[in-house]
Amino acid sequence: MTGKSPPSCPMDAILRLLMGPWTTYILWILNDRGPQRFGVLKRAVPGISTRVLTERLRMLQAAGVIWREQSSTIPPAVTYGLTERGKELREVLDALDEIAQRWQREGAFSDPRLATA
Amino acid sequence: MTGKSPPSCPMDAILRLLMGPWTTYILWILNDRGPQRFGVLKRAVPGISTRVLTERLRMLQAAGVIWREQSSTIPPAVTYGLTERGKELREVLDALDEIAQRWQREGAFSDPRLATA
DNA sequence: CGGGATCCCAGTTGATACTG
DNA sequence: CAGTATCAACTGGGATCCCG
């Protein structure tokens, strides 16, 4: 993230975790399609760079939201999937998503200040 | 936010809305203490600059999450408060906050990568 | 294939000064 | 009091190259 928030609020930590672009999208995919390999994720998330995808996965893993399984073959195969904590998080995110979709229908994000790009 | 996410996902819009530092903190205060004036908010959110606070309030207002009431007196008095939509949002944020606190007790954010500062 | 190291740019923030 | 304007500084992201 760019700035920082009052350290006292744990929610800020969890939001920092989710905040980066695509983070929720990654969780969405892992929740929707089950465990996936790095390359598949990269292709599934349109426009993400290797560096950022790696970073996001590391953060999610550090928070115990996803697991990482690495086979030491050549070429390597690394698979990521949701942990229990990740699934728990998805539930809340789904609720948030439901609200977001409704608000969108109601035009809540039509203001240019909230532009997608 | 800095980057951009898949435009198709409304949740990204709502996360962009919440994401900026202090945004959830502002909502928290408005939810907790009721409508507040600009200056009070500024003092309540430690370290925020005038410019950023203004921008956040504008975004939240644009999304219909908070209302703004201005009295054209001198000196002016501007008050902000949660709308129904804002209260609805707080419910989900409270659920997220509950998870965040539990995770914190479980050490989910102890990794330096998720550092608060 | 998965990802670490670099370089560079754009956007965002912080600080400061000014105004109705 | 409640902002707006401006500028400098920082950070995060994209692109690229390389390695095990």
Side-chain angles (χ1 to χ4, degrees):
Chain A
M1 181 160 75
T2 307
K4 41 228 154 283
S5 308
S8 49
C9 185
M11 184 161 53
D12 282 318
I14 211 170
L15 281 176
R16 248 193 313 282
L17 177 66
L18 298 173
M19 236 175 42
W22 305 294
T23 308
T24 58
Y25 203 68
I26 294 170
L27 293 176
W28 178 278
I29 291 171
L30 291 179
N31 183 63
D32 207 46
R33 309 186 196 173
Q36 299 290 331
R37 293 182 52 182
F38 185 89
V40 178
L41 279 176
K42 180 155 166 46
R43 268 168 270 125
V45 184
I48 197 171
S49 67
T50 309
R51 200 173 60 84
V52 173
L53 178 56
T54 302
E55 184 200 342
R56 293 289 180 273
L57 292 171
R58 292 283 187 280
M59 288 188 70
L60 292 171
Q61 189 192 354
V65 170
I66 63 174
W67 47 261
R68 186 189 123 111
E69 189 186 79
Q70 178 176 14
S71 80
S72 298
T73 55
I74 295 181
V78 182
T79 307
Y80 297 90
L82 289 188
T83 60
E84 283 309 308
R85 204 177 267 177
K87 291 172 187 172
E88 179 184 27
L89 185 57
R90 272 304 324 174
E91 290 177 27
V92 186
L93 289 183
D94 284 341
L96 193 61
D97 188 54
E98 194 271 327
I99 288 184
Q101 293 197 29
R102 182 153 36 84
W103 287 13
Q104 190 177 47
R105 285 194 294 273
E106 296 169 6
F109 307 123
S110 57
D111 191 285
R113 226 163 343 220
L114 306 170
T116 300
Chain B
M1 182 163 68
T2 307
K4 45 230 155 278
S5 308
S8 50
C9 185
M11 184 160 53
D12 282 319
I14 212 169
L15 280 177
R16 248 194 312 283
L17 176 66
L18 299 174
M19 235 174 42
W22 304 294
T23 308
T24 57
Y25 203 70
I26 294 170
L27 293 176
W28 178 278
I29 292 170
L30 291 179
N31 182 64
D32 208 46
R33 309 187 197 172
Q36 298 291 332
R37 295 182 53 179
F38 185 89
V40 178
L41 279 175
K42 181 154 166 45
R43 266 169 272 126
V45 184
I48 196 170
S49 68
T50 310
R51 203 172 58 80
V52 173
L53 177 56
T54 301
E55 184 201 341
R56 292 289 180 273
L57 291 171
R58 292 284 188 279
M59 289 188 70
L60 292 170
Q61 189 191 352
V65 171
I66 63 173
W67 48 259
R68 186 189 121 112
E69 189 186 81
Q70 179 176 14
S71 79
S72 299
T73 55
I74 293 181
V78 182
T79 307
Y80 296 90
L82 288 189
T83 61
E84 283 309 309
R85 204 177 267 177
K87 293 173 187 172
E88 178 184 28
L89 187 57
R90 273 302 323 174
E91 290 176 26
V92 185
L93 289 183
D94 284 341
L96 194 61
D97 187 54
E98 193 270 326
I99 288 183
Q101 294 197 30
R102 181 153 36 84
W103 287 13
Q104 191 178 48
R105 284 193 295 272
E106 296 169 6
F109 307 124
S110 56
D111 190 285
R113 228 167 339 225
L114 305 171
T116 301

